Amino acid sequence: MSEQASASTSPSGFFTEENSVATVNARMGRDVDPRLAEVMACLVKHLHNFAREINLTQDEWDFGIDFLTRTGQICTQERQEFILLSDTLGLSMLVDAINNRRPSGATENTVFGPFHVEGCPVRQMGDQICLDGKGESCLFIGRVLDLDGNPVAGAKIDVWSDNAEGYYDVQQPDIQPKWNNRGVFVTGADGRYSFVGIKPVSYPIPDDGPVGKMLNSLGRHPYRPAHMHYMVRAEGFQKLVTHTFVGGDPYLNSDTVFGVKKTLVAPFTRVESGNTLWRSDYDFVLARPRQKR
């Protein structure tokens, strides 16, 4: 867009504190993708209003630039510090909530997390997924249902959790067996699932980088409450990505990534006599695409 054209669509064409949003957004081209234009215009508006509202100082802005630079520099194939930043600011959960609105009665979504691995072996119902022999054994059992309470056959349930020391197998490839505490199960006509793992334990997110320093400066801890991950997929239904959380965990009300929802806190019952020390019963209720009640 020419300077003359931009000048005609903003108060003067020149930047001032008062007209900063209009001036910056007026420089956008006419043939920009409409959604991109909408997103960027809104981003500029809120960024500028944030700086004005807080009376952002030059030193604070310089610190912010340095923080973002250090966040980018620590990112690798194995570690994504920007996702960690999004998680700990609650933005990941907000985006997840916006994109996974479901009717009442359907199981709620929560954050996917960075530790899922594609290609996990399909196992038989009731199989053991803990391969390192550590931790307190737990039977996970329940059903996959539709909103009317009917069983969902052929549902693919992908599960994964940390080990007894709070690490996922991909974090310790030279220590843990491959596929430790992972499995894929497919429901039959009754919609039931069952497998044996361990009672998960709470663990800290990586806190040795810029995000960890931010949490410490804000007086926040880096811990996630104990949880089992699930991804449930079935033909004709919305994909469900969720956790079940261990009831009574001390971090339920202060999950550092804000992933806990009340409906996802599951019972973990001590077994007096049986093949496992614990048992956790939980039914997953799937919604059809755009199904409303």
Side-chain angles (χ1 to χ4, degrees):
M1 182 182 288
S2 68
E3 289 186 15
Q4 183 177 4
S6 65
S8 66
T9 54
S10 67
S12 67
F14 298 105
F15 188 99
T16 68
E17 182 179 338
E18 292 72 25
N19 73 5
S20 67
V21 174
T23 301
V24 171
N25 284 335
R27 301 290 175 91
M28 233 183 292
R30 290 190 175 124
D31 297 325
V32 176
D33 176 83
R35 179 59 177 172
L36 175 61
E38 180 184 17
V39 169
M40 290 306 299
C42 191
L43 176 64
V44 167
K45 178 180 73 172
H46 287 288
L47 278 175
H48 286 227
N49 287 340
F50 159 74
R52 263 191 287 271
E53 179 182 342
I54 204 68
N55 285 316
L56 194 65
T57 68
Q58 187 66 51
D59 286 345
E60 289 165 343
W61 179 235
D62 291 342
F63 181 87
I65 292 293
D66 180 65
F67 173 81
L68 293 175
T69 300
R70 288 184 284 113
T71 298
Q73 288 171 339
I74 203 173
C75 291
T76 66
Q77 287 291 104
E78 290 75 32
R79 178 169 181 166
Q80 231 302 349
E81 194 80 356
F82 274 111
I83 291 179
L84 206 61
L85 178 60
S86 173
D87 289 349
T88 54
L89 292 177
L91 184 58
S92 297
M93 275 299 294
L94 178 58
V95 173
D96 182 83
I98 290 169
N99 285 274
N100 291 285
R101 295 171 179 142
R102 298 211 172 99
S104 176
T107 303
E108 295 187 276
N109 234 64
T110 193
V111 288
F112 189 44
F115 299 120
H116 178 260
V117 178
E118 290 288 349
C120 185
V122 176
R123 305 188 188 280
Q124 298 298 311
M125 289 299 177
D127 274 1
Q128 169 71 255
I129 65 170
C130 176
L131 306 180
D132 64 3
K134 299 178 180 179
E136 297 184 344
S137 60
C138 182
L139 172 65
F140 295 85
I141 191 166
R143 300 170 296 167
V144 180
L145 307 170
D146 66 16
L147 275 170
D148 295 316
N150 301 309
V152 177
K156 186 177 179 181
I157 308 172
D158 200 335
V159 305
W160 65 103
S161 79
D162 57 343
N163 73 352
E165 297 167 349
Y167 294 99
Y168 292 83
D169 58 349
V170 292
Q171 294 177 289
Q172 298 180 316
D174 299 324
I175 298 175
Q176 294 190 42
K178 188 175 183 179
W179 310 123
N180 191 32
N181 292 305
R182 298 180 186 273
V184 175
F185 301 88
V186 181
T187 60
D190 60 1
R192 294 190 175 276
Y193 74 89
S194 66
F195 62 93
V196 176
I198 63 167
K199 184 185 182 186
V201 300
S202 51
Y203 62 86
I205 62 169
D207 63 346
D208 57 340
V211 172
K213 291 182 174 64
M214 178 192 75
L215 292 177
N216 185 61
S217 297
L218 295 173
R220 289 176 53 186
H221 68 72
Y223 279 86
R224 295 220 63 204
H227 57 275
M228 175 64 76
H229 289 265
Y230 293 87
M231 179 163 60
V232 186
R233 290 169 284 188
E235 187 175 353
F237 293 90
Q238 295 180 37
K239 179 174 70 175
L240 172 65
V241 175
T242 197
H243 311 351
T244 58
F245 293 90
V246 177
D249 188 281
Y251 298 109
L252 282 177
N253 294 320
S254 61
D255 181 6
T256 195
V257 306
F258 304 95
V260 180
K261 296 181 178 179
K262 186 176 181 180
T263 60
L264 301 180
V265 178
F268 279 74
T269 306
R270 187 84 180 188
V271 177
E272 297 301 329
S273 60
N275 296 323
T276 62
L277 294 174
W278 297 89
R279 172 177 171 138
S280 182
D281 295 73
Y282 196 88
D283 291 343
F284 297 99
V285 181
L286 304 185
R288 298 188 183 276
R290 295 180 294 278
Q291 186 175 357
K292 295 181 180 180
R293 280 200 165 183

